[in-house]
Amino acid sequence: MSIPNDLQYNKTHEWVRLEGGEAVIGISHFAQESLGDITFVDLPEVGASLEQGKEFGAVESVKAAGDLYAPVSGEVIAVNEALADAPETVNQSPFGDGWMVRVKLAQAPSGLLNAAEYAKVCAEEAH
Amino acid sequence: MSDLLKTPLNEWHRAHGAKMGPFAGWDMPIQYEGILAEHAHTRTAASIFDICHMGEFRIRGAGAAAALAAAVSHNLDTLKPGRCRYGFLLNARGGVLDDLIVYRMAEDEFMLVVNGACAASDFAALRERLPEAVSMEDISGQTAKIDLQGPQSVDVLEALLGASFRDLGYFSFRETSFRGQPLLVSRTGYTGELGYELYLPWDAAEALWEALLADARVKPAGLGARDTLRLEAGLPLYGHDLDTEHTPAEAGMGKMLTSTADYVGKDHARTIRRVLVPLTIEGRRSARHGDALALPGGGPVVGRITSGSFAPTLGYAIAFAWVDAPHADNAHFAVRTARAELPAVRATLPFYTQGTARIALS
């Protein structure tokens, strides 16, 4: 199970990489594997605001659909436009080229899980 | 999970990393490599599917043909031995209890292939409709079914069995053998591609499965790809696109009702209150079973989605919906999903028009 140590996580399977006053957000390897082949990613537009814990988008696979929940609060400053035509990138590289949005942080996030804590969430759900 | 039934290939699936899930009371493989890859492989090469969960009945005895003709919608007058036909088991109101294929083995001998989830109730309904002199046996427990589907399936089959099958026409079958075990090869399927449904004894299933996979052109495919393949081909799924509340005519199958026999449900089989409408959704976002279908521009709800998926070969989403008859010819609808309102346009069947199912091989 791939769970990078340099990221933080939501228990709803989004990851966030904090880079100074910005944050990059995506979904985890566990999430993409559970969904199966991803066929559609619905993301907010640049300028939209995210509120930690609130829905900000959706992911669909051939067999399932799920909401995306913001791990941080802030303003969207970039969206991974490539996912519109190649949503399978999320399957292929969930922590890399499959990133979803970049956010300018409104405030420091709290309550996120570290890799070890998130690994426990995945282990419980896998049963 | 312990109460789920297991096919003779269950251990194979688990040993080969299949993602398993419950379907019709069975523990079935949903995918191996991935639904999109398995879908594409079936459209371009050949895939095998474990379909052992489906039910098979053997019906025979003096008067079997006339008795069966009064029990199901199939026209048996024009069904010759060696041929099979798709049709329906109806209730008295013309609602579909199941869709099934009838194989004519001999003048008064038939095999019926029914949906796994319906097998027990189908058997009970048929037994009640058939006279005692006609014997009826549920052979589901000893009959394995493996579907070989894809444009290369005829080459795979011929290489495996060392015989020509090019003369076997669509909806025809032949009884042969595999390693000394009886094997029924039927040129039918549920993917829209050239293919064969293979019936053999339960205990011989794994040997056939392994022998098919020994051909480099063949890969296993799960029920996930089977569902996207059948939807692209415009084939209905019982329990979603067909049910007891709707007639064959409502499902667009009225033309099939050519039987002159007085079968159960015949009087109402052509009743039309709603119509099963094929829809193309603009974009990749999918409608799902149960979503409401409305007239565009905030209009009233006139139907509901019965099946919906991203169509891998087409690159956009497609769906079936029950639509109230007065609106069934409309061109434009709006699907109300949990997340968005999706514009939908009436389509024609099949959604995917390049399928090889019916190609002439000889």
Side-chain angles (χ1 to χ4, degrees):
Chain A
M1 174 71 62
S2 169
I3 302 178
N5 281 317
D6 60 330
L7 305 178
Q8 294 181 276
Y9 300 87
N10 268 350
K11 63 177 191 298
T12 49
H13 305 291
E14 295 82 7
W15 57 259
V16 56
R17 177 185 291 116
L18 299 175
E19 297 178 347
E22 296 177 6
V24 180
I25 298 168
I27 65 167
S28 71
H29 173 76
F30 180 90
Q32 69 79 19
E33 197 165 77
S34 306
L35 284 162
D37 290 324
I38 291 169
T39 53
F40 178 76
V41 182
D42 187 21
L43 297 176
E45 293 181 356
V46 169
S49 1
L50 264 51
E51 191 180 339
Q52 188 176 355
K54 293 282 168 63
E55 182 191 328
F56 75 94
V59 181
E60 292 190 1
S61 69
V62 180
K63 284 284 123 201
D67 291 327
L68 298 167
Y69 294 94
V72 298
S73 297
E75 182 190 330
V76 176
I77 53 173
V79 174
N80 187 353
E81 306 286 354
L83 300 182
D85 290 326
E88 63 275 14
T89 310
V90 178
N91 292 115
Q92 293 155 359
S93 177
F95 298 114
D97 291 345
W99 68 278
M100 292 177 173
V101 293
R102 178 178 281 270
V103 171
K104 185 174 167 43
L105 290 173
Q107 70 223 29
S110 61
L112 293 172
L113 306 178
N114 64 30
E117 290 164 338
Y118 177 61
K120 282 185 203 161
V121 172
C122 294
E124 280 166 23
E125 285 192 24
H127 283 287
Chain B
M1 298 293 268
S2 59
D3 54 340
L4 291 174
L5 299 166
K6 290 185 171 66
T7 79
L9 299 165
N10 190 274
E11 282 178 29
W12 190 95
H13 301 317
R14 292 187 169 277
H16 290 80
K19 200 182 270 186
M20 306 293 288
F23 182 80
W26 293 75
D27 183 38
M28 297 300 287
I30 306 304
Q31 64 173 61
Y32 304 86
E33 178 184 356
I35 293 173
L36 297 183
E38 292 160 29
H39 182 109
H41 191 77
T42 311
R43 289 267 180 261
T44 55
S47 300
I48 51 173
F49 301 76
D50 175 3
I51 308 298
C52 294
H53 63 291
M54 286 186 76
E56 295 88 10
F57 308 146
R58 172 98 43 186
I59 291 172
R60 59 187 146 187
L68 184 60
V72 298
S73 76
H74 306 59
N75 184 345
L76 301 183
D77 283 345
T78 55
L79 185 66
K80 299 189 176 96
R83 301 270 301 162
C84 54
R85 184 163 287 164
Y86 176 81
F88 308 96
L89 178 69
L90 301 178
N91 62 27
R93 294 173 289 117
V96 178
L97 291 169
D98 201 2
D99 61 339
L100 66 156
I101 294 185
V102 170
Y103 288 78
R104 189 165 212 154
M105 315 302 295
E107 188 54 36
D108 270 327
E109 181 174 343
F110 301 87
M111 180 171 79
L112 275 51
V113 179
V114 305
N115 281 298
C118 304
S121 54
D122 286 359
F123 188 88
L126 284 161
R127 183 64 274 182
E128 197 172 318
R129 293 178 192 184
L130 298 172
E132 274 181 34
V134 173
S135 84
M136 185 175 169
E137 188 186 357
D138 184 347
I139 55 170
S140 307
Q142 63 246 41
T143 307
K145 178 173 185 287
I146 294 170
D147 289 9
L148 169 65
Q149 301 277 298
Q152 296 181 345
S153 57
V154 66
D155 304 314
V156 170
L157 188 71
E158 291 184 337
L160 179 71
L161 298 177
S164 175
F165 282 87
R166 275 161 210 275
D167 57 327
L168 190 66
Y170 195 46
F171 275 80
S172 295
F173 65 93
R174 180 174 301 157
E175 292 176 276
T176 176
S177 66
F178 170 72
R179 296 186 187 169
Q181 300 280 345
L183 174 71
L184 190 152
V185 176
S186 170
R187 192 179 153 189
T188 46
Y190 197 46
T191 61
E193 297 301 333
L194 171 66
Y196 301 88
E197 296 183 290
L198 308 172
Y199 302 87
L200 76 168
W202 196 258
D203 294 339
E206 192 166 358
L208 177 61
W209 184 264
E210 295 273 18
L212 286 163
L213 282 173
D215 191 312
R217 294 168 286 198
V218 178
K219 290 184 177 184
L223 294 185
R226 182 172 162 88
D227 193 45
T228 52
L229 288 158
R230 69 91 191 168
L231 186 57
E232 278 188 348
L235 302 169
L237 171 64
Y238 190 78
H240 284 244
D241 316 304
L242 298 170
D243 58 36
T244 53
E245 303 309 305
H246 296 94
T247 66
E250 288 178 314
M253 312 275 189
K255 279 194 299 240
M256 280 182 199
L257 303 174
T258 60
S259 171
T260 55
D262 187 20
Y263 57 87
V264 177
K266 187 177 189 178
D267 291 348
H268 302 288
R270 293 173 187 280
T271 299
I272 293 185
R273 297 148 297 193
R274 279 181 289 272
V275 176
L276 191 65
V277 172
L279 298 167
T280 296
I281 316 280
E282 292 174 21
R284 300 177 66 101
R285 178 164 239 172
S286 180
R288 307 279 171 175
H289 177 80
D291 287 343
L293 188 74
L295 298 182
V301 171
V302 296
R304 68 180 165 78
I305 300 292
T306 57
S307 286
S309 176
F310 175 73
T313 322
L314 300 172
Y316 50 81
I318 56 175
F320 274 126
W322 283 123
V323 179
D324 294 340
H327 303 287
D329 291 329
N330 288 24
H332 298 277
F333 299 93
V335 182
R336 292 188 183 152
T337 75
R339 293 176 177 78
E341 184 157 304
L342 311 176
V345 177
R346 195 183 213 291
T348 53
L349 293 178
F351 294 105
Y352 174 66
T353 56
Q354 308 301 308
T356 53
R358 295 164 185 269
I359 60 167
L361 295 173
S362 60

